[in-house]
Amino acid sequence: MPELNEWFTQHKVEDVECLIPDMTGNARGKLIPVKKFFQEESRLPESIMVQCIDGSFTEEHDDLLGSGIDGDMFLKPDLDTARLVPWSNTPSAQIIHDCFTKDGEPHPLAPRNVLKRIIKLYEDKGWQPVIAPEAEFYFVKQNNDPGDKIEPATGRTGHEGFARQPYSIDALNEFEHIIDDMYDYCEVLNLDVDTLIHESGAAQFEINFEHGDPLDLADQVFMFKRAVREVAIKHGMYATFMAKPMEDEPGSAMHIHQSFIDKKTGRNIFIDDNDKPNERFHHYIGGLRKYTPSCISMYAPNVNSYRRFTRDVAAPVNMLWGIDNRTTGIRVPDSSPKNTRVENRFPGMDANPYLSIAASLACGYLGMQNKIDPGEPFDDDAYEEGIDVARSLEEAIRLLRDSPEIAEVMGPNFIAAYSAVKEVEYENFNKVISSWEREYLLLNV
C-alpha cells in the first residue's frame, strides 16, 4: 500500500475506480477519492452477482444468496491490476478487486474467484496453465434506436469498398487514427497486445494477446474491452463485442489457446520424452470434446451468441477436433513440440473472459482426470458433418444443469446462480416478438 500511495502521488491520481467483473464480464464498482481509498473498506451488495444483463433479477435471488437481506461482499484490491485510466478527464486509476464473504472466504459467485478455483486444480499438480486469447470485434456506426439495424463503421475515406478484406493492410489503414489511440490506451493499461489484423467482416478486427497466466490474461481482456469502447466513442462510433451483431457479417470469437508447463521441469506437459504428443494431451482434448456441450453457455452466454454457430463462417458447429483444421471447434495448431497447444474456438467475444477461460480449463482438467479418449482427429471439412452444438441459450443451460462434474469443479453455488440468471435472460428475450415473425407470420399463418 505505501508503494501504491507513492504511485498515486507520482501520477497525481485524484480518484480510484474500484472494479469487479460481474457475471457478464462487465465492470461494477465504485469511484472513490484517493484519500478515502486507504481509509475505508470497500463493499458492494452481493446481489449484483445475480443480476441479469437487462437489470432484472432471478426469482431464486434469496435462495442463491442464502438470505433475503442482500448483504455485502467485501472487496480486496489486487494491486497487480492497478492502472491509470487513459480516457478519464481527471487523473484517475483503476484497480480490479476480489470479492469475499463476511467470513473472509472467496465469494463463490464472483467470476474471478471461479477462475482462481480452476487454476488451483492445476497448481496442486505442479502445472502452470498458459493461455493466449484472440479477441475479435467490430467498429460500428452509432446506433441509438434498437429498432435500427447495426451498420459497420466507415473509415477515414468514408469509402465502403475496404469492407470484407481479411488481412488487408489498406483496410487497417482506413481506421489508422482510431487504432493509434487504441494502442496508446493499451500501453497505458500495460496490456500485452500483439498482432492486429482486419478480419473478414466489414470493420471487423482481431487482436492477439501474448501468452501468459490465465488470470492476468482474463484481466487484460476485461480492461481491453473497456478501452476499445472508450476509443470508439471518442471517434464518434461504437465498438461492439456482440457474437453476431449483423446478419450479413461473420460473428466475433474469442479463441483461447492453452497449454501447460510443469513447474519442476519447465517442459510442456503435453509432450513426451520424444517430443511427441502424449496421452495427457489427448485426454485434455477428450475432456474438451465431452464437456464443451455442458459448458457452452459460458462460451456463448447470451441469446445472440447462438447466431454465430452457423456453417462456413469460421465458427464451430460440432465437437470434432483436428490438426490445423479451422473448421473444427477444437484445433491443434501446427507448431514446434515446445509450443504444442490446443485452441478452443467455441467462445464468442461476448463471453465473460474469466468464465470462458475457467470453463475451458475445467473441461480439459476433467478429461485428464478421467482419461477420456478424444478419438481420431478429423481431417476433412467439419461443416459437412452434422450440427451438434446447442442452438439456444435455453438448451445450453439445461446441459449445464445436467453436468454434476462441471458443478463440482467450478462450484455448485456458482453453477446454480449462473444457470438461474441465464434462464431469466432467455425468458425475458422470449417475450419479445421479432420483426421476422411480424413480417412472415402475421398474415401467412
Side-chain angles (χ1 to χ4, degrees):
M1 282 299 197
E3 291 180 359
L4 181 63
N5 192 26
E6 182 180 342
W7 184 74
F8 284 160
T9 302
Q10 176 187 352
H11 294 284
K12 301 179 180 179
V13 171
E14 298 179 13
D15 302 299
V16 182
E17 294 180 349
C18 300
L19 307 178
I20 64 167
D22 68 4
M23 201 73 87
T24 66
N26 288 325
R28 304 289 184 106
K30 296 180 177 180
L31 185 66
I32 300 177
V34 70
K35 291 181 180 179
K36 289 192 174 183
F37 177 80
F38 295 103
Q39 299 171 358
E40 299 179 1
E41 183 178 46
S42 293
R43 304 183 186 187
L44 286 173
E46 60 182 351
S47 61
I48 64 176
M49 288 302 177
V50 291
Q51 189 170 12
C52 302
I53 201 164
D54 62 359
S56 62
F57 290 91
T58 169
E59 293 180 358
E60 299 177 47
H61 174 279
D62 292 351
D63 294 335
L64 293 169
L65 298 179
S67 70
I69 64 173
D70 192 10
D72 281 339
M73 299 182 295
F74 295 81
L75 309 186
K76 180 180 178 181
D78 183 340
L79 302 186
D80 289 338
T81 68
R83 304 286 196 277
L84 296 176
V85 181
W87 53 83
S88 178
N89 292 324
T90 58
S92 301
Q94 64 175 28
I95 303 178
I96 300 174
H97 287 55
D98 284 313
C99 304
F100 294 85
T101 67
K102 63 181 180 181
D103 298 323
E105 296 296 320
H107 200 288
L109 306 189
R112 209 166 186 262
N113 289 338
V114 174
L115 177 53
K116 285 185 174 184
R117 176 188 177 109
I118 302 302
I119 292 172
K120 188 176 185 305
L121 295 175
Y122 286 93
E123 289 178 341
D124 289 346
K125 292 184 174 294
W127 299 336
Q128 172 61 50
V130 179
I131 68 110
E134 299 172 347
E136 297 176 351
F137 60 95
Y138 279 93
F139 287 129
V140 299
K141 295 177 181 178
Q142 290 195 347
N143 183 314
N144 296 313
D145 185 347
D148 294 338
K149 288 187 176 181
I150 297 171
E151 297 181 17
T154 51
R156 59 184 181 178
T157 67
H159 197 281
E160 297 183 359
F162 288 111
R164 304 182 188 89
Q165 298 291 330
Y167 297 94
S168 168
I169 297 299
D170 290 334
L172 277 179
N173 289 338
E174 274 288 281
F175 295 88
E176 180 182 15
H177 54 305
I178 307 172
I179 291 169
D180 287 345
D181 282 349
M182 183 184 75
Y183 272 110
D184 287 344
Y185 281 11
C186 289
E187 184 174 355
V188 173
L189 292 168
N190 195 27
L191 305 183
D192 295 327
V193 293
D194 189 13
T195 307
L196 175 72
I197 65 169
H198 190 283
E199 263 291 350
S200 54
Q204 185 188 32
F205 299 87
E206 176 187 285
I207 195 161
N208 298 334
F209 289 78
E210 294 281 1
H211 62 274
D213 174 76
L215 184 63
D216 179 48
L217 267 300
D219 287 338
Q220 290 194 48
V221 173
F222 171 72
M223 289 187 276
F224 175 77
K225 292 174 77 170
R226 294 189 74 212
V228 176
R229 287 194 182 103
E230 292 291 339
V231 167
I233 291 171
K234 176 181 175 181
H235 289 274
M237 59 185 67
Y238 289 155
T240 182
F241 301 97
M242 284 178 66
K244 182 72 170 172
M246 292 169 280
E247 62 188 63
D248 295 326
E249 303 292 343
S252 291
M254 183 177 65
H255 302 152
I256 303 171
H257 294 251
Q258 49 217 283
S259 61
F260 305 87
I261 301 299
D262 187 304
K263 291 184 177 181
K264 288 184 179 180
T265 65
R267 285 179 58 86
N268 187 331
I269 72 165
F270 286 159
I271 298 302
D272 64 20
D273 292 338
N274 297 317
D275 285 340
K276 300 294 183 183
N278 57 23
E279 284 191 344
R280 197 179 287 138
F281 166 80
H282 289 95
H283 293 156
Y284 190 91
I285 294 173
L288 289 176
R289 290 198 69 192
K290 179 173 180 178
Y291 294 104
T292 286
S294 301
C295 288
I296 199 70
S297 65
M298 283 175 274
Y299 304 144
N302 303 300
V303 291
N304 172 263
S305 306
Y306 297 84
R307 300 186 187 280
R308 176 176 154 257
F309 296 134
T310 56
R311 287 188 171 99
D312 300 319
V313 287
V317 296
N318 47 49
M319 299 300 146
L320 296 171
W321 77 282
I323 307 295
D324 202 25
N325 186 343
R326 283 186 170 84
T327 68
T328 60
I330 303 162
R331 171 179 173 256
V332 178
D334 186 17
S335 64
S336 66
K338 178 183 177 181
N339 295 317
T340 296
R341 62 195 185 277
V342 178
E343 177 190 13
N344 186 342
R345 297 174 62 83
F346 286 98
M349 196 57 209
D350 59 334
N352 182 326
Y354 300 92
L355 299 183
S356 56
I357 293 170
S360 193
L361 296 178
C363 292
Y365 176 83
L366 287 171
M368 291 189 290
Q369 287 293 100
N370 298 325
K371 295 181 170 53
I372 298 173
D373 183 358
E376 294 299 315
F378 192 75
D379 59 2
D380 208 338
D381 186 351
Y383 294 130
E384 297 297 323
E385 303 300 304
I387 296 177
D388 55 25
V389 68
R391 302 306 301 274
S392 73
L393 183 58
E394 186 271 338
E395 180 185 356
I397 291 301
R398 281 194 286 106
L399 293 170
L400 178 61
R401 284 194 182 274
D402 290 342
S403 179
E405 299 97 332
I406 294 297
E408 181 180 357
V409 294
M410 299 191 75
N413 292 340
F414 164 73
I415 294 298
Y418 185 82
S419 300
V421 167
K422 293 301 170 182
E423 283 173 344
V424 171
E425 290 180 2
Y426 176 79
E427 292 301 332
N428 289 346
F429 165 78
N430 207 37
K431 296 174 184 177
V432 178
I433 307 302
S434 69
S435 60
W436 189 95
E437 292 166 278
R438 289 191 293 271
E439 180 174 354
Y440 292 103
L441 303 183
L442 181 66
L443 301 178
N444 291 332
V445 295

